[in-house]
Amino acid sequence: MGARQAAGLAARHLTPRCPDLIDAAAGIPVSEARDSQILLSFDAPPLPGDVPERLPSPFAPGPPVRLARIAAEALQQRLRLEQARWEELWRPGGGKMFGVLVVAAAPGRWASLCAFSGMLGGAWTVEGFVPPVFDPEARAAFLPTGEAELAEMGRRHAELTEQCARLALSPQGRESELRRLEAHRREVSHLRAERSRALWQQLSTVFTVPNARGEQRSMSALFAPRPPPGGAGDCAAPKLLACAYRHGWKPLALAEFWWGATPLGGGRQSGAYYPACDNKCGTVLPFMLEGLEVDPAPARPAPSLEEGAVRVLHEDATLLVVDKPHGLPSIPGRHSPGRDSVLIRLLERFPDLTSAHFIHALEPEVSGLQVIARDTTTQAALQRQLARAEAEHRHVAWVDGLLPHEQGRIDLPLRGTTSGALEALANPRHGKQALTDWRATQSSEARTRVLLWPRTRHAMQLRIHAAHPSGMGLPIVGDARFGVEDTRLMLHAEGLGFTHPTSGERREFSSPAPF
């Protein structure tokens, strides 16, 4: 069905109405319908065969059933009419997922609920869309206090960082005073991280989701023993189902589609339908669907890198080469040893691994190749190769701007900390040598694609060298720390080459960038 036909179908079968009219027609109490914010009701009953015998699986790929398409096209038509209001959706990286759920609101009465993922226009609750799943009152009981505490600790941390930077740059900088301030800053950082984790645990405990049987389960219980990922339960599908259950309406057909600018990393087109995500909804929705007659989810192939899998490209008795997805830490933090990470995911298969075996721990925001030693001899040999530039770890990135030269070397010593203002992170006097070679390979009107070869190993070296005025002077696209936040950090470790310490064979590995 073409877009014009579908839009016409939507116009014939779904009509915007005020909540009071829908309440009267469906026999639903006015207060309930206002809470759920239904704005679209079917003027005519669905055609024979349009109502599926059971709810199609939210994880099924391809276009949704006709009943859901009618509702989705009506919402898309409304979004087109309100495009000026939601102009942010069409900014780079501003698009998001929307969803509709057709429900049997009462005998012989059908209606459509609308939802968006996360927030829209900086708000959780927007007229015409169902509310979030979480209980705002439960959050309000502790979240503002917790956020205020985090803000105060963040302010204190920034203050200490600035003091450390000034002292480090001062010709009369006192080493003992600097060490004292650094220790205090690390303590504040640790306390803030602990408070943040405790607050997130509290949030995930009071964030409960229902299922069709009337049961409730907290987000923390659903994802145990790992902490829930950020945004779990905030996608469109969980919001729609929770609203339907709250009012006793039977879910009939669901559709989710992307609307707005295509993500910078690709993979989404405005108006196209997509199945529910596996990372978050893959855990939340199976529980929420219990008690409903639902088509079985299609058999899924082995998870791809884009879906969050850690791919093992090579394994032998001495080392591993893996392909890490964006958003996943290499190793768990010191204060959260059970946090989801490359190490935690590999332990079941390789129980001998520890964080010390990681030759180069990529930052969570960075995707791509990394090598992991399985014994100290291999570890030392690989580290020597990297130090002598006998091993290569090639990255690719988009930087935000145009470069005046095609290639170069950045020799900018770094202080060994990632806290503080950008200019303070590089310090010729107190910093350690940091070298990065680069070459531009492509440019657009406002961005440049570059290859990067870190010749030394420092935390955030490539990001600092790219953004610092004494480096490229152009932050990597999507770098929320040194540039502008986007759908992801456009930095990927695409090439890895080294001489195998045991066999003496030269090994080369590659991973195409997902952007």
Side-chain angles (χ1 to χ4, degrees), residues 405-444:
H405 308 292
E406 292 185 359
Q407 59 185 6
R409 164 167 280 198
I410 301 169
D411 184 354
L412 185 61
L414 301 179
R415 290 180 52 221
T417 178
T418 58
S419 299
L422 175 64
E423 288 75 10
L425 297 179
N427 190 312
R429 181 183 173 202
H430 297 283
K432 296 180 181 179
Q433 184 183 42
L435 299 173
T436 300
D437 291 325
W438 63 270
R439 185 174 77 244
T441 62
Q442 182 183 346
S443 63
S444 65

Side-chain angles (χ1 to χ4, degrees), residues 142-153 192 195 199 203:
F142 64 87
L143 187 57
T145 301
E147 288 180 330
E149 292 174 359
L150 289 175
E152 174 58 27
M153 286 188 277
R192 187 175 187 275
R195 183 69 183 101
L199 189 61
L203 279 170

Side-chain angles (χ1 to χ4, degrees), residues 284-304:
V284 175
L285 289 184
F287 170 75
M288 295 190 74
L289 293 172
E290 289 180 11
L292 280 182
E293 290 189 50
V294 185
D295 285 339
R300 296 182 62 84
S304 70

